[in-house]
Amino acid sequence: MKKGNITLTMIKPFAVKEHHIGEIITQIEKAGFTIRALNMTQLPAEKAALFYSEHKGKPFYESLVQFMSSGPVVAAILEKENAVEDFRTLIGATDPSQSAEGTIRKLYAKDKTHNAIHGSDSDESAIREARFFFSSMEQFFR
Ligand code: IDP
Ligand code: MG
């Protein structure tokens, strides 16, 4: 796992429920990201709370934790040069009403909380989040 070239994504429960896993993964691969780990899992509320602990105390925190533990997510480690920034461009702004046309959040989000997909915000977060979801044996770098 090379710092600077990876990001962690999660397709959120609403997009999973609406059958958008395939379309979203296709868009990610077509944009040049290589999947290095992939998993479908349902986060218990305590795990969702831990994943989003930087937002603890914010008004949307409780509903975010509730939503993120409400159904399965699809998590993946993605590799590409400049992965964090390029992936955030691909997914679009946090609030889908502000997201650029063609971005994943513009296409598949319902609203700001149910915004279809997660992308790490820094190289450090990407490493931490990758380890949160995947053991070394579940990661395929070469
Ligand atoms: P990001 O996902 O674009 O990095 P963050 O600020 O890290 O955005 O927020 C984490 C998640 O919390 C967002 O993806 C979104 O689901 C939710 N969220 C952020 N801000 C709001 C808000 O103002 N209202 C409702 N949900 C929010
Ligand atoms: Mg964030």
Side-chain angles (χ1 to χ4, degrees):
M1 192 156 65
K2 233 165 83 190
K3 190 176 161 196
N5 291 338
I6 68 145
T7 192
L8 185 284
T9 189
M10 253 192 301
I11 303 174
K12 299 188 179 185
F14 180 71
V16 170
K17 200 168 144 213
E18 294 289 302
H19 299 180
H20 294 312
I21 296 171
E23 294 159 299
I24 290 174
I25 289 181
T26 297
Q27 195 168 346
I28 290 170
E29 289 197 299
K30 285 199 165 145
F33 292 87
T34 301
I35 296 171
R36 296 300 190 193
L38 186 66
N39 174 17
M40 188 177 204
T41 190
Q42 183 161 357
L43 295 171
E46 316 83 73
K47 287 282 188 188
L50 189 63
F51 186 89
Y52 282 110
S53 53
E54 64 167 307
H55 296 300
K56 200 170 177 183
K58 293 184 187 167
F60 60 84
Y61 181 67
E62 301 298 332
S63 57
L64 177 64
V65 169
Q66 197 281 327
F67 166 58
M68 290 304 296
S69 57
S70 68
V73 299
V74 172
I77 300 174
L78 305 174
E79 185 175 21
K80 183 185 181 296
E81 219 174 281
N82 201 35
V84 165
E85 195 186 334
D86 287 3
F87 193 70
R88 290 191 70 95
T89 302
L90 181 68
I91 67 178
T94 307
D95 183 346
S97 69
Q98 312 286 319
S99 304
E101 288 303 324
T103 59
I104 293 174
R105 282 172 167 170
K106 186 62 155 193
L107 288 166
Y108 304 113
K110 187 164 79 172
D111 54 44
K112 209 170 178 183
T113 296
H114 308 78
N115 67 1
I117 191 159
H118 168 82
S120 306
D121 64 7
S122 68
D123 295 338
E124 292 70 29
S125 301
I127 301 262
R128 185 184 68 247
E129 293 172 358
R131 288 189 179 133
F132 177 94
F133 276 102
F134 300 100
S135 73
S136 59
M137 284 191 66
E138 295 167 320
Q139 303 180 18
F140 299 89
F141 290 93
R142 55 182 55 87

Coordinates of all heavy atoms in Angstrom, one line a residue, residues 10-18 41-45 48-49 52 60-73 105 108-118:
M10 N -16.6 3.8 0.0 CA -17.8 3.0 0.5 C -19.0 3.4 -0.4 O -19.3 4.6 -0.4 CB -18.1 3.4 1.9 CG -17.8 2.5 3.0 SD -18.6 3.1 4.5 CE -18.0 4.7 4.8
I11 N -19.6 2.5 -1.0 CA -20.9 2.8 -1.7 C -21.9 2.7 -0.5 O -22.0 1.6 0.2 CB -21.2 1.8 -2.8 CG1 -20.1 1.8 -3.9 CG2 -22.6 2.1 -3.4 CD1 -20.2 0.8 -5.0
K12 N -22.6 3.7 -0.3 CA -23.5 3.8 0.9 C -24.8 3.0 0.8 O -25.2 2.7 -0.3 CB -23.7 5.3 1.2 CG -22.4 6.1 1.5 CD -22.7 7.5 2.0 CE -21.4 8.2 2.3 NZ -21.6 9.5 2.9
P13 N -25.4 2.7 1.9 CA -26.6 1.8 1.9 C -27.7 2.2 0.9 O -28.3 1.3 0.3 CB -27.1 1.9 3.4 CG -25.9 2.2 4.2 CD -25.1 3.1 3.3
F14 N -28.0 3.4 0.7 CA -29.1 3.8 -0.2 C -28.8 3.4 -1.6 O -29.6 2.8 -2.3 CB -29.4 5.3 -0.1 CG -30.5 5.7 -1.0 CD1 -31.8 5.4 -0.7 CD2 -30.2 6.5 -2.1 CE1 -32.8 5.8 -1.6 CE2 -31.2 6.9 -3.0 CZ -32.5 6.5 -2.7
A15 N -27.5 3.7 -2.1 CA -27.1 3.3 -3.4 C -27.0 1.8 -3.6 O -27.3 1.3 -4.7 CB -25.7 4.0 -3.7
V16 N -26.7 1.1 -2.6 CA -26.7 -0.4 -2.6 C -28.1 -0.9 -2.8 O -28.4 -1.7 -3.7 CB -26.0 -1.0 -1.3 CG1 -26.2 -2.5 -1.3 CG2 -24.5 -0.7 -1.3
K17 N -29.0 -0.3 -2.0 CA -30.4 -0.7 -2.0 C -31.1 -0.4 -3.3 O -31.9 -1.2 -3.8 CB -31.1 0.0 -0.9 CG -32.4 -0.6 -0.5 CD -32.9 0.0 0.8 CE -34.4 0.2 0.8 NZ -34.9 1.3 1.5
E18 N -30.7 0.6 -4.0 CA -31.2 1.1 -5.2 C -30.6 0.4 -6.5 O -30.8 0.8 -7.6 CB -31.1 2.6 -5.4 CG -31.9 3.4 -4.4 CD -33.4 3.3 -4.7 OE1 -33.8 3.7 -5.8 OE2 -34.1 2.9 -3.8
T41 N -20.3 -5.3 3.4 CA -20.5 -5.6 4.9 C -21.5 -4.6 5.5 O -21.7 -3.5 4.9 CB -19.1 -5.4 5.6 OG1 -19.2 -5.8 6.9 CG2 -18.6 -3.9 5.6
Q42 N -22.1 -5.0 6.6 CA -23.0 -4.0 7.2 C -22.3 -3.6 8.5 O -22.0 -4.4 9.4 CB -24.4 -4.7 7.5 CG -25.3 -3.6 8.2 CD -26.8 -4.0 8.1 OE1 -27.2 -5.0 7.5 NE2 -27.7 -3.2 8.7
L43 N -22.1 -2.3 8.7 CA -21.4 -1.8 9.9 C -22.4 -1.7 11.0 O -23.5 -1.2 10.9 CB -20.9 -0.4 9.6 CG -19.9 -0.2 8.5 CD1 -19.7 1.3 8.2 CD2 -18.6 -0.8 8.9
P44 N -22.0 -2.3 12.2 CA -22.8 -2.1 13.4 C -22.7 -0.6 13.7 O -21.7 0.1 13.3 CB -22.0 -2.9 14.5 CG -21.1 -3.8 13.8 CD -20.8 -3.2 12.4
A45 N -23.7 -0.1 14.4 CA -23.7 1.4 14.7 C -22.4 1.9 15.4 O -21.9 2.9 15.0 CB -24.9 1.7 15.6
A48 N -19.8 2.3 12.6 CA -20.1 3.5 11.8 C -19.7 4.8 12.6 O -19.2 5.7 12.1 CB -21.6 3.5 11.4
A49 N -20.0 4.8 13.9 CA -19.7 5.9 14.8 C -18.2 6.1 14.8 O -17.7 7.3 14.8 CB -20.3 5.7 16.2
Y52 N -16.8 7.6 11.5 CA -17.1 9.0 11.3 C -16.8 9.8 12.6 O -17.4 10.9 12.8 CB -18.6 9.2 10.9 CG -18.8 8.9 9.4 CD1 -19.5 7.7 9.0 CD2 -18.3 9.7 8.4 CE1 -19.7 7.5 7.6 CE2 -18.5 9.5 7.1 CZ -19.2 8.4 6.7 OH -19.4 8.1 5.3
F60 N -25.5 16.6 12.3 CA -25.9 15.5 11.4 C -25.3 14.1 11.8 O -25.6 13.1 11.2 CB -25.6 15.7 9.9 CG -24.1 15.9 9.7 CD1 -23.2 14.9 9.5 CD2 -23.5 17.2 9.7 CE1 -21.9 15.1 9.3 CE2 -22.2 17.4 9.5 CZ -21.3 16.3 9.3
Y61 N -24.5 14.1 12.9 CA -23.7 12.9 13.3 C -24.6 11.7 13.6 O -24.4 10.6 13.0 CB -22.8 13.2 14.4 CG -22.0 12.1 14.9 CD1 -20.9 11.6 14.1 CD2 -22.2 11.5 16.2 CE1 -20.1 10.5 14.6 CE2 -21.4 10.4 16.6 CZ -20.3 10.0 15.8 OH -19.5 8.9 16.2
E62 N -25.6 11.9 14.4 CA -26.5 10.7 14.8 C -27.2 10.1 13.6 O -27.2 8.9 13.4 CB -27.5 11.2 15.9 CG -26.9 11.8 17.1 CD -26.0 10.8 17.9 OE1 -26.3 9.5 17.8 OE2 -25.1 11.2 18.6
S63 N -27.8 11.0 12.7 CA -28.5 10.5 11.6 C -27.5 9.8 10.6 O -27.9 8.8 9.9 CB -29.3 11.6 10.9 OG -28.5 12.6 10.5
L64 N -26.3 10.4 10.5 CA -25.3 9.8 9.6 C -24.9 8.4 10.1 O -24.9 7.4 9.3 CB -24.0 10.6 9.6 CG -22.9 10.1 8.8 CD1 -23.2 10.0 7.3 CD2 -21.6 11.0 9.0
V65 N -24.7 8.2 11.4 CA -24.4 6.9 12.0 C -25.5 5.9 11.8 O -25.4 4.8 11.4 CB -24.0 7.0 13.5 CG1 -23.9 5.7 14.1 CG2 -22.7 7.8 13.6
Q66 N -26.7 6.4 12.0 CA -27.9 5.6 11.9 C -28.1 5.1 10.4 O -28.2 3.9 10.1 CB -29.2 6.4 12.3 CG -30.4 5.5 12.6 CD -31.1 5.1 11.3 OE1 -31.1 5.9 10.3 NE2 -31.7 3.9 11.3
F67 N -27.9 6.0 9.5 CA -28.0 5.7 8.1 C -26.9 4.7 7.6 O -27.2 3.7 6.9 CB -28.0 7.0 7.2 CG -27.8 6.7 5.7 CD1 -28.6 5.9 5.0 CD2 -26.7 7.3 5.1 CE1 -28.4 5.7 3.7 CE2 -26.4 7.0 3.7 CZ -27.3 6.2 3.0
M68 N -25.7 5.0 8.0 CA -24.6 4.2 7.5 C -24.6 2.8 8.1 O -23.9 1.9 7.6 CB -23.2 4.9 7.9 CG -23.0 6.2 7.0 SD -23.1 5.9 5.2 CE -21.7 4.8 5.0
S69 N -25.4 2.6 9.2 CA -25.5 1.2 9.7 C -26.8 0.6 9.4 O -27.1 -0.5 9.8 CB -25.3 1.3 11.3 OG -26.2 2.1 11.9
S70 N -27.6 1.2 8.5 CA -29.0 0.7 8.2 C -29.0 -0.4 7.2 O -30.0 -1.0 7.0 CB -29.8 1.9 7.7 OG -29.3 2.4 6.4
G71 N -27.9 -0.6 6.5 CA -27.9 -1.7 5.5 C -26.4 -1.9 5.0 O -25.5 -1.1 5.5
P72 N -26.2 -2.9 4.2 CA -24.8 -3.1 3.7 C -24.2 -2.0 2.9 O -24.9 -1.2 2.2 CB -24.9 -4.4 2.9 CG -26.4 -4.6 2.6 CD -27.1 -3.8 3.6
V73 N -22.9 -1.8 3.1 CA -22.1 -0.9 2.2 C -21.1 -1.8 1.4 O -20.8 -2.9 1.8 CB -21.3 0.1 3.1 CG1 -22.2 1.0 3.9 CG2 -20.3 -0.6 4.0
R105 N -22.1 11.3 -7.2 CA -23.1 11.8 -6.2 C -24.2 12.5 -7.0 O -25.4 12.4 -6.6 CB -22.4 12.8 -5.2 CG -21.7 12.0 -4.1 CD -20.9 12.9 -3.2 NE -20.4 12.2 -2.0 CZ -19.6 12.6 -1.1 NH1 -19.0 13.8 -1.3 NH2 -19.2 11.9 -0.1
Y108 N -26.3 9.5 -8.4 CA -27.0 8.5 -7.5 C -27.3 8.9 -6.1 O -27.9 8.1 -5.4 CB -26.0 7.3 -7.5 CG -25.7 6.7 -8.8 CD1 -24.4 6.8 -9.3 CD2 -26.6 6.2 -9.6 CE1 -24.0 6.4 -10.6 CE2 -26.3 5.7 -10.9 CZ -25.0 5.8 -11.4 OH -24.7 5.3 -12.6
A109 N -27.0 10.1 -5.7 CA -27.4 10.5 -4.3 C -28.8 10.9 -4.2 O -29.4 11.4 -5.2 CB -26.5 11.7 -3.9
K110 N -29.4 10.8 -3.0 CA -30.7 11.3 -2.8 C -30.6 12.7 -2.2 O -31.3 13.6 -2.6 CB -31.5 10.3 -1.8 CG -32.9 10.6 -1.6 CD -33.7 9.5 -1.0 CE -33.4 9.4 0.5 NZ -34.3 8.4 1.2
D111 N -29.8 12.8 -1.2 CA -29.6 14.1 -0.5 C -28.2 14.1 0.2 O -27.4 13.1 0.0 CB -30.7 14.5 0.5 CG -30.9 13.3 1.5 OD1 -29.9 12.8 2.0 OD2 -32.1 13.0 1.7
K112 N -27.9 15.1 1.0 CA -26.6 15.3 1.6 C -26.2 14.1 2.5 O -25.1 13.6 2.5 CB -26.6 16.6 2.4 CG -25.2 17.2 2.5 CD -25.3 18.6 3.1 CE -23.9 19.2 3.2 NZ -24.0 20.6 3.9
T113 N -27.2 13.6 3.3 CA -26.9 12.5 4.2 C -26.8 11.2 3.3 O -25.9 10.4 3.5 CB -28.0 12.3 5.2 OG1 -27.9 13.4 6.1 CG2 -27.7 11.0 6.1
H114 N -27.8 11.0 2.4 CA -27.8 9.8 1.6 C -27.1 10.1 0.3 O -27.7 10.0 -0.8 CB -29.3 9.4 1.3 CG -30.1 9.3 2.6 ND1 -30.6 10.4 3.2 CD2 -30.5 8.2 3.3 CE1 -31.3 10.0 4.3 NE2 -31.2 8.7 4.3
N115 N -25.8 10.4 0.4 CA -25.1 10.9 -0.8 C -24.3 9.9 -1.6 O -23.4 10.2 -2.3 CB -24.2 12.2 -0.5 CG -23.1 11.8 0.5 OD1 -22.9 10.7 0.8 ND2 -22.3 12.8 0.8
A116 N -24.7 8.7 -1.5 CA -24.3 7.6 -2.4 C -23.0 7.0 -2.1 O -22.8 5.7 -2.3 CB -24.4 8.0 -3.9
I117 N -21.9 7.8 -1.8 CA -20.6 7.2 -1.8 C -19.6 8.1 -0.9 O -19.8 9.3 -0.8 CB -20.1 7.1 -3.2 CG1 -18.8 6.3 -3.3 CG2 -19.9 8.5 -3.9 CD1 -18.5 5.8 -4.7
H118 N -18.7 7.4 -0.3 CA -17.6 8.0 0.5 C -16.3 8.0 -0.3 O -16.0 7.1 -1.0 CB -17.4 7.2 1.8 CG -16.2 7.6 2.6 ND1 -16.2 8.7 3.4 CD2 -15.0 7.1 2.6 CE1 -15.0 8.9 3.9 NE2 -14.2 7.9 3.5

